[in-house]
Amino acid sequence: MIIDIKKIRLSGKDEQAFYFEYLPETDLVDIPNANLITPIKVSGTAYITGNHTLYIEGSVNFKIEGECTRCLNHAEKEFVIDFAENFDSETEGSYPVVCDRVDLSVIVNDLIIMNIQGENC
């Protein structure tokens, strides 16, 4: 899930729509008796905002399935998480741009982990 600033510029544009299907590490979800249903769908638009910076608006769509922690029945829950983020190696706290490329897997993993904590059916 790489966004390449140079490729966007070579196309003569300053933005690019994207869509990826992502297969994360199997141990990303550590909820007992729950599994992440893959692939995870990631879509959005990347906007060039500077020489080596991007602003990305997007959406992450995924499901988890497993045993409900309250009722113990099989449960499946879908998540749709919208995000908007700056990617800039020179700003502390930003997701990095490395060699004019952004790897979206880091932010997608972060969004999944943050949004499934404490979920019940």
Side-chain angles (χ1 to χ4, degrees):
M1 293 192 311
I2 303 293
I3 305 289
D4 190 323
I5 295 173
K6 288 180 185 179
K7 285 185 179 180
I8 297 171
R9 282 203 172 100
L10 287 174
S11 72
K13 300 176 184 177
D14 59 0
E15 66 183 63
Q16 176 181 326
F18 61 85
Y19 173 82
F20 297 104
E21 290 190 354
Y22 173 52
L23 300 171
E25 297 292 324
T26 56
D27 62 349
L28 183 63
V29 174
D30 63 354
I31 298 171
N33 302 316
N35 297 305
L36 191 59
I37 299 172
T38 57
I40 295 165
K41 296 172 176 88
V42 182
S43 61
T45 304
Y47 303 90
I48 296 175
T49 57
N51 286 333
H52 307 286
T53 60
L54 286 176
Y55 174 75
I56 298 179
E57 294 179 331
S59 179
V60 177
N61 185 314
F62 67 95
K63 294 179 184 180
I64 58 171
E65 69 174 349
E67 189 176 84
C68 176
T69 57
R70 288 187 305 172
C71 66
L72 301 179
N73 290 328
H74 182 269
E76 185 173 298
K77 180 161 183 168
E78 181 174 9
F79 294 79
V80 178
I81 305 160
D82 295 325
F83 69 95
E85 193 70 44
N86 288 306
F87 291 78
D88 177 358
S89 293
E90 296 180 12
T91 302
E92 189 174 327
S94 289
Y95 288 95
V97 175
V98 178
C99 297
D100 280 340
R101 292 182 177 176
V102 169
D103 182 354
L104 292 179
S105 63
V106 175
I107 190 171
V108 170
N109 288 346
D110 288 350
L111 289 167
I112 291 169
I113 292 167
M114 287 187 301
N115 283 279
I116 63 171
Q117 293 177 349
E119 283 298 321
N120 292 310
C121 66

